[in-house]
Amino acid sequence: MLDALVENRQATWATCGVLNDGQRVFYSVKLNTKIEALPGDATDLFCVATTTHDGTATANLLVSSVRVVCQNTLTFALSNNVDTVRVRHVGCVSDVLKRAHDVVIGIDANVANIDAGMKMLTRIVLTERQSQKFLDLVHPVPALPPVDVFKGYSEEKQKRALYEQDLAMRVHARIRELHETGAGQDMKGVHGSGYGWLNAVTDFATHDKRSKSKLESTMVGDASKLGRRAYAVLTEKQTREEICHAA
């Protein structure tokens, strides 16, 4: 499916490999177009396709952005309405492949949207209260139940509730630390902006997450979801308004 981008000279082949002990295959091309949220702060873009060998032959298409200064990774759906194309070993697949081809060829519109979104985030400056609201929306800290209810929990359930709350608070603390000291945060216009906070989250998700495989986690796991959640919180109208009202 990515052949069309290479044939149209929109991209060059980048990587390929396997995940989950060979159960999942991925391949990617590096787009010739880059985005630049701020002068001198370039982000390379890749179009990635993944598929499985379990008989369903589900192909997932996405755009992956890699900020050059820190190698943070953030993935985006390739299309608002077609981000997954299912190709099974039964029936005619030509129509499905044609649809996937059309989505890939139309990637320029997606690149323009990502570029505009990143530039918009550099113009959002968060106060301390707004920063905390952002963290709460991206990775909520679970509240403990009322004391009388908590006392009714088993010892194991109490420990679990306390652990989950403490873990979420430590995630917040680490993201805050990366917002202060992470790679690229010292560049003009980054620290304190929505763009800076997004990069703190993606720094945590891409480099800090202790997983069996950073690549696997970033592409198909919780790290990818955390980064996309942070981007959505900062760009979607409802959550953006919640942050603004926290001032």
Side-chain angles (χ1 to χ4, degrees):
M1 285 180 286
L2 300 184
D3 292 347
L5 287 173
V6 178
E7 292 171 0
N8 286 358
R9 298 184 179 180
Q10 293 174 268
T12 55
W13 287 108
T15 60
C16 63
V18 295
L19 304 171
N20 297 336
D21 297 322
Q23 296 178 19
R24 193 172 188 88
V25 177
F26 73 91
Y27 48 103
S28 68
V29 294
K30 184 177 181 180
L31 302 179
N32 295 335
T33 305
K34 295 184 178 183
I35 62 175
E36 197 170 30
L38 292 164
D41 192 355
T43 296
D44 290 328
L45 293 173
F46 297 80
C47 187
V48 184
T50 66
T51 189
T52 60
H53 290 306
D54 59 3
T56 60
T58 300
N60 299 290
L61 302 174
L62 54 88
V63 170
S64 178
S65 68
V66 181
R67 189 180 178 210
V68 174
V69 69
C70 57
Q71 296 299 296
N72 289 351
T73 301
L74 180 61
T75 58
F76 301 84
L78 187 58
S79 169
N80 287 333
N81 54 7
V82 184
D83 61 349
T84 301
V85 180
R86 297 186 180 277
V87 184
R88 298 184 181 277
H89 294 295
V90 294
C92 179
V93 299
S94 60
D95 291 342
V96 180
L97 290 174
K98 173 63 166 61
R99 185 158 57 99
H101 177 275
D102 292 343
V103 170
V104 170
I105 289 300
I107 198 169
D108 285 344
N110 292 275
V111 171
N113 288 337
I114 296 170
D115 186 54
M118 291 297 188
K119 284 182 168 62
M120 182 269 289
L121 294 183
T122 66
R123 298 190 294 270
I124 298 175
V125 179
L126 304 184
T127 66
E128 170 57 30
R129 292 181 63 182
Q130 289 172 333
S131 300
Q132 185 58 53
K133 185 63 175 180
F134 163 73
L135 292 173
D136 290 339
L137 290 170
V138 171
H139 192 73
V141 175
L144 294 177
V147 176
D148 56 335
V149 175
F150 185 75
K151 287 182 177 178
Y153 284 179
S154 65
E155 182 178 354
E156 181 179 352
K157 192 172 181 179
Q158 288 181 353
K159 288 181 178 179
R160 183 65 185 177
L162 291 169
Y163 168 78
E164 290 179 351
Q165 185 184 67
D166 178 68
L167 179 62
M169 292 173 69
R170 284 189 282 123
V171 168
H172 282 201
R174 181 54 179 153
I175 293 174
R176 283 184 173 278
E177 182 180 354
L178 290 170
H179 177 252
E180 296 296 326
T181 63
Q185 292 289 345
D186 58 344
M187 298 181 71
K188 184 178 180 180
V190 176
H191 184 268
S193 69
Y195 180 67
W197 279 105
L198 173 65
N199 276 287
V201 172
T202 54
D203 193 354
F204 171 80
T206 304
H207 303 300
D208 264 34
K209 191 172 181 63
R210 295 180 180 179
S211 61
K212 181 176 66 175
S213 166
K214 289 182 181 179
L215 178 61
E216 178 179 340
S217 177
T218 299
M219 289 182 60
V220 298
D222 290 341
S224 177
K225 293 177 183 177
L226 187 64
R228 287 199 299 270
R229 175 62 180 163
Y231 184 80
V233 164
L234 289 165
T235 57
E236 292 180 0
K237 182 179 179 181
Q238 180 178 343
T239 48
R240 195 169 66 243
E241 288 180 350
E242 288 186 53
I243 293 174
C244 290
H245 292 156

